[in-house]
Each structure stands twice: as structure tokens, then as C-alpha cells.
Amino acid sequence: MKTGQAHHDVHATALHDRIEFRILIAVSMVWFLLVAAVSRLLPRSCRPLAGSAPRHESLFAEARRTAYTVIPYAFMR
């Protein structure tokens, strides 16, 4: 019986991690969208998120790329 409970606990933990990851991605995308919008007012050489991005990347794509680059580090154990 304990084996079934252990399997359930692992599954519940994995589900919790996925939900937490999606929430963090959503919140960070809002933050990075704001940062990307403000940074568009700066010259390209001074933009904090421009890095190695394609030349004509949308604000949403820039925020998404940055969020998916940063947030996985929160889940490293």
C-alpha cells in the first residue's frame, strides 16, 4: 500500500511543480513585458534584454524569451 501512496505523492509533487512553473512564467512575462516596453525607449546598445535576440523581435516575444531563460533556474535543485 505504501508504494501506491509514494507514487501518488510523486505525481502530486510533479503536478504542483508544473503549476508553480506556469504561474512564475506568467508573472515574469508581465514583468519582462514592462521592462521590454520601457527598454524600447533606449538605444539598442543599451537595452538590457536585447542580447542576442533577432533584429525585429516583438515585445511579447522578447518578454517570453527572457522569462523562459530566467525562470527554469528557480527549479534547479
Side-chain angles (χ1 to χ4, degrees), residues 39-47:
S39 72
R40 294 287 170 108
L41 301 173
L42 300 172
R44 185 159 177 82
S45 61
C46 297
R47 291 184 191 168

Side-chain angles (χ1 to χ4, degrees), residues 56-72:
H56 297 288
E57 188 175 42
S58 71
L59 286 174
F60 181 76
E62 188 174 335
R64 181 174 168 225
R65 176 181 49 81
T66 307
Y68 275 99
T69 300
V70 173
I71 294 304

Side-chain angles (χ1 to χ4, degrees), residues 4-57:
Q5 182 64 28
H7 177 69
H8 177 71
D9 291 344
V10 169
H11 180 67
T13 301
L15 178 62
H16 181 265
D17 284 349
R18 284 196 305 265
I19 291 170
E20 188 176 346
F21 180 79
R22 289 181 186 209
I23 290 170
L24 283 172
I25 287 291
V27 169
S28 65
M29 280 184 64
V30 170
W31 171 252
F32 288 126
L33 186 63
L34 178 66
V35 171
V38 171
S39 72
R40 294 287 170 108
L41 301 173
L42 300 172
R44 185 159 177 82
S45 61
C46 297
R47 291 184 191 168
L49 304 178
S52 61
R55 189 95 174 120
H56 297 288
E57 188 175 42

